[in-house]
Amino acid sequence: SATFKNTGDTKHLMMLVVEPASDVIWDSAGSITTAQGVEDLTPTTEEEWLSVKHSAAVIVESGNLLLLPGRFRDNKDWQEVSYGMIDVGQRLITAVDARDRDAIFDLGGQLYSVCVSCHQLYLNAEQKENLP
C-alpha cells in the first residue's frame, strides 16, 4: 500500500487550498449592492464557470485530504465534516454543469456551514480569534 507524504498541516491546507477555493465559490453566487446598483455575481463566461468548477473540485478533494493519516482526527465529527465537504463540492460541480445559479448560492451557504461547524469543534479560542 502507498504511504502518504503530507506537505503541510491542516492550517497549511486551509490557508493555501481550501480558503482560496471557497472564496471563488462564495464570490460567484448571489449579488451585491453597490453605489452603482445591484451587481449579479453569477459567472458569465466559460472561463468564469470553469473557475468555479475547479474550485468545487478542490473542495471535494480537500475533504479527502482531511481524511489522510497525519491530518485525520477522529471517526466522529472530523470524518463527518470531511464527508460534508466532499458532498457539497460534488453537488457544486453538478450545479455548475447545470449553470444553476440558485443552487450554487444555496450550496455556498452549505459549504460555509460545514466550515463553521468544523471550526467550532476543532479550533481553540486563540485560533478562532485569528480567523480572517
Side-chain angles (χ1 to χ4, degrees):
S1 84
T3 56
F4 298 99
K5 184 178 179 183
N6 289 339
T7 56
D9 60 13
T10 301
K11 182 178 178 181
H12 164 96
L13 178 65
M14 290 299 141
M15 290 176 59
L16 298 177
V17 181
V18 176
E19 286 179 22
S22 299
D23 286 342
V24 169
I25 292 163
W26 293 326
D27 291 345
S28 302
S31 60
I32 56 172
T33 303
T34 66
Q36 290 74 36
V38 177
E39 178 187 347
D40 185 353
L41 298 174
T42 304
T44 56
T45 66
E46 283 304 308
E47 190 175 53
E48 290 171 345
W49 282 110
L50 185 59
S51 176
V52 179
K53 187 173 182 174
H54 169 258
S55 295
V58 170
I59 295 298
V60 170
E61 295 305 334
S62 293
N64 284 314
L65 293 174
L66 288 170
L67 296 169
L68 287 177
R71 290 198 187 102
F72 185 77
R73 295 277 184 94
D74 59 56
N75 287 315
K76 298 175 186 167
D77 297 319
W78 189 269
Q79 183 171 303
E80 286 305 309
V81 169
S82 300
Y83 288 158
M85 283 181 68
I86 294 166
D87 178 59
V88 170
Q90 288 175 319
R91 289 190 288 140
L92 275 160
I93 290 171
T94 300
V96 169
D97 287 343
R99 302 297 190 257
D100 187 340
R101 66 186 300 274
D102 293 334
I104 293 169
F105 181 82
D106 291 342
L107 290 163
Q110 290 178 36
L111 176 61
Y112 180 79
S113 294
V114 170
C115 295
V116 168
S117 67
C118 186
H119 295 171
Q120 296 202 341
L121 289 163
Y122 292 100
L123 290 184
N124 64 38
E126 181 183 336
Q127 289 170 318
K128 288 177 187 175
E129 285 178 17
N130 292 325
L131 281 175

